């Protein structure tokens, strides 16, 4: 299991394979009456879009830290496990990585209330539409509960990431 996790975090090809399988599976689930070739085409489209975004993000992080993607993946694992590297050069790269990721998290926090509000309005709107039409309320209520759970998960993950990166920033300062 340890090697599979490393393979997925290091390999863009492995991540693309997972996105392709999920895209084809979701196409089959939601468009069961369509031709299977359409599922594959949609899965390939989703894969290209996601892989382009991931490659762009990796290149941006690589430029910001001055390290290659494998080094960044290894340092990200060390950040998650709260391990501070002993090598001064590796510590400097990790410091730049932590600063870059903290900047992304804090910049994203400015738009977070708007995104959460939009998601809440969509959930409430779907419940209202379900209540005013002759349809069943089961799907709108399940969707609304799912949206609320997803919003709380986003807030929890953001708080956890902020705490982790602030801890690493102070740990890197203390060892300097």
């Amino acid at each position: 299991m340890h090697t599979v996790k490393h393979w997925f975090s290091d390999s863009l090809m492995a991540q693309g394979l997972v996105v392709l399988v999920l895209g084809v599976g979701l196409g089959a689930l939601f468009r069961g009456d369509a031709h299977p070739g359409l599922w594959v085409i949609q899965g390939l489209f989703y894969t290209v879009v996601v892989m382009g975004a991931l490659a762009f993000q990796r290149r941006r992080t690589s430029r910001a830290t001055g390290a290659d993607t494998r080094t960044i993946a290894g340092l990200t694992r060390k950040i998650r496990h709260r391990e501070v590297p002993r090598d001064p050069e590796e510590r400097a790269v990790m410091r730049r990585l932590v600063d870059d990721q903290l900047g992304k998290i804090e910049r994203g926090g400015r738009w977070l209330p708007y995104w959460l509000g939009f998601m809440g309005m969509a959930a409430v709107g779907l419940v209202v539409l379900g209540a005013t039409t002759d349809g069943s309320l089961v799907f709108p209520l399940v969707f609304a509960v799912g949206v609320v759970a997803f919003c709380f998960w986003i807030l929890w993950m953001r708080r956890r990431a902020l705490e982790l990166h602030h801890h690493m920033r102070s740990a890197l300062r203390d060892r300097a």
Side-chain angles (χ1 to χ4, degrees):
M1 183 67 162
H2 184 69
T3 337
V4 173
K5 283 172 47 177
H6 285 252
W7 182 56
F8 279 127
S9 69
D10 292 346
S11 172
L12 201 58
M13 184 65 79
Q15 294 169 2
L17 182 64
V18 169
V19 171
L20 178 65
V21 169
L22 285 175
V24 171
L26 288 174
L29 181 66
F30 290 115
R31 296 184 180 245
D33 57 338
H35 191 272
L38 182 63
W39 305 339
V40 174
I41 290 171
Q42 286 178 334
L44 287 172
F45 175 73
Y46 299 148
T47 303
V48 167
V49 169
V50 169
M51 291 295 97
L54 279 176
F56 176 76
Q57 186 262 341
R58 280 185 171 201
R59 189 175 358 185
R60 186 193 168 286
T61 303
S62 184
R63 271 191 242 136
T65 59
D68 64 339
T69 55
R70 250 179 223 276
T71 305
I72 292 171
L75 290 176
T76 303
R77 273 192 295 275
K78 287 184 179 184
I79 290 171
R80 279 195 311 265
H81 295 289
R82 297 179 184 247
E83 298 173 12
V84 179
R86 296 188 191 282
D87 181 33
E89 185 177 314
E90 194 176 12
R91 247 192 338 263
V93 172
M94 184 182 272
R95 191 174 298 117
R96 289 190 299 266
L97 179 63
V98 167
D99 289 340
D100 181 58
Q101 289 179 348
L102 261 175
K104 286 179 188 175
I105 294 168
E106 289 167 353
R107 279 190 306 275
R110 284 184 273 166
W111 290 98
L112 188 63
Y114 302 109
W115 282 109
L116 294 176
F118 173 75
M119 290 169 61
M121 284 176 32
V124 168
L126 194 58
V127 169
V128 168
L129 281 175
T132 58
T133 61
D134 292 333
S136 172
L137 269 177
V138 173
F139 175 73
L141 289 175
V142 168
F143 179 77
V145 168
V147 167
V148 168
F150 183 66
C151 290
F152 277 111
W153 178 76
I154 288 172
L155 290 171
W156 176 74
M157 288 298 292
R158 183 178 187 279
R159 184 179 53 103
R160 184 174 167 240
L162 278 171
E163 176 186 302
L164 183 64
H165 284 82
H166 282 300
H167 169 78
M168 286 307 294
R169 180 185 271 174
S170 67
L172 287 167
R173 260 192 223 126
D174 291 343
R175 296 237 178 139

